């Protein structure tokens, strides 16, 4: 996927490199407690081969290998109000939601054009093709 973005002066960008999210509508009939909802997001991210993760700015890889451990973030369970026709394709309304993944805060870009590429893959526990992959290219303009 290719995108373009203009960044105002002094603005930081949080990049969701790869994450797993879960909400009650995605787990019909389970109605998990917050702790259990958070715990269900962990296995997918814990199984990621960090060699599949990328965060590249202006053709320079900024993070590699075990350095990715420092970029894991758990988003504690919280209430979310899903609108109709949401990207998760779940019923609209209030529900509980949790996420866990690799997030990078991009700061300090010099004024002018930049390229940003990030992504990764969640492996298939059965050894087949990845169950989820993402790769995003941005053409950024730092004001």
């Amino acid at each position: 996927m290719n995108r373009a973005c203009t960044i105002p002066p002094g603005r930081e960008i949080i990049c969701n490199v790869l994450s797993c999210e879960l909400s009650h509508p995605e787990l019909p009939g389970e109605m998990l407690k917050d702790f259990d909802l958070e715990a269900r997001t962990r296995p997918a991210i814990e199984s990621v081969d960090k060699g599949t993760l990328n965060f590249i700015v202006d053709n320079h890889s900024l993070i590699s290998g075990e350095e990715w451990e420092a970029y894991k973030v758990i988003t504690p369970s919280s209430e979310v109000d899903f609108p109709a026709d949401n990207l998760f394709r779940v019923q609209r309304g209030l529900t509980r939601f949790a996420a866990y993944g690799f997030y990078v805060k991009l700061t300090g870009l010099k004024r002018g054009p930049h390229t940003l590429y990030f992504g990764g893959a969640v492996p298939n526990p059965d050894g087949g093709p990845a169950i989820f992959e993402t790769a995003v290219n941005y053409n950024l303009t730092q004001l």
Side-chain angles (χ1 to χ4, degrees), residues 60-142:
H60 297 287
S61 181
L62 301 185
I63 306 164
S64 63
E66 290 306 310
E67 293 172 342
W68 281 103
E69 284 297 314
Y71 295 88
K72 282 184 184 172
V73 175
I74 184 84
T75 302
S77 292
S78 57
E79 190 172 74
V80 65
D81 190 2
F82 284 121
D85 300 320
N86 59 74
L87 69 103
F88 298 105
R89 298 183 179 146
V90 297
Q91 181 179 353
R92 67 176 292 180
L94 291 173
T95 190
R96 303 298 293 169
F97 173 94
Y100 183 51
F102 297 95
Y103 298 84
V104 177
K105 181 166 59 171
L106 180 59
T107 62
L109 289 177
K110 294 185 188 291
R111 185 179 173 99
H114 299 276
T115 58
L116 169 63
Y117 170 82
F118 60 86
V122 175
N124 184 326
D126 299 326
I131 59 172
F132 179 77
E133 288 184 75
T134 186
V136 182
N137 286 298
Y138 279 93
N139 291 310
L140 303 175
T141 301
Q142 176 69 58

